[in-house]
Amino acid sequence: MIVAEVSGKPSVLFVCVHNAGRSQMAAAWLAHLAEGRVEVRSAGSDPGAAVNPAAVEVMAEVGIDISAESPKALTADAVREADVCITMGCGDACPVFPGKRYLDWKVADPSGLGPEAVRAVRDEIRALVEGLLEEIAP
């Protein structure tokens, strides 16, 4: 199991370009499913102006409210503080620090997609998050 030295909890950072869809949904799923057992953050290399409304809508359908979230800029400190850094299939490169685990989840970009397609992305992300959670905080 991966454990952060400071808090005693594993820490995960989700990264995508705009931090407006995939990484926001992934962070919300992990926070929801982990119930406080994992520190969760998300960021983007070129943060958008707001979270994708379709992502907000489909997450609300499963009882998770991300409407108050806002895209955040990726920093070296955010990567340094994470035990696991996950890029969301968008080609973003995180700064590399020894001792970190880096994953790339090839997930479709929900930008410009309708709710039906974004639901499929949401459900794919949930399955990936469940697998990660089982690994890092069973």
Side-chain angles (χ1 to χ4, degrees):
M1 174 165 47
I2 296 170
V3 179
E5 292 178 23
V6 177
S7 71
K9 297 181 198 178
S11 176
V12 177
L13 172 66
F14 293 101
V15 179
C16 67
V17 175
H18 301 299
N19 189 223
R22 295 168 286 195
S23 56
Q24 291 283 351
M25 289 191 286
W29 271 124
L30 184 55
H32 176 75
L33 295 170
E35 298 176 324
R37 294 177 291 152
V38 178
E39 290 183 9
V40 183
R41 294 180 187 83
S42 69
S45 57
D46 182 20
V51 175
N52 180 334
V56 172
E57 177 184 337
V58 302
M59 292 302 287
E61 292 172 358
V62 294
I64 301 173
D65 182 6
I66 62 171
S67 63
E69 297 298 326
S70 61
K72 294 166 274 316
L74 176 64
T75 65
D77 284 344
V79 177
R80 191 177 291 112
E81 293 169 10
D83 297 307
V84 182
C85 298
I86 302 173
T87 54
M88 306 296 294
C90 46
D92 267 21
C94 290
V96 176
F97 295 100
K100 305 294 176 195
R101 182 173 174 200
Y102 296 89
L103 300 171
D104 184 40
W105 291 351
K106 304 285 188 211
V107 178
D109 184 353
S111 178
L113 301 178
E116 192 62 37
V118 179
R119 281 184 199 101
V121 173
R122 173 200 67 199
D123 296 344
E124 179 183 359
I125 290 171
R126 179 184 179 141
L128 289 164
V129 165
E130 287 173 335
L132 175 70
L133 186 57
E134 183 60 34
E135 216 179 293
I136 66 171

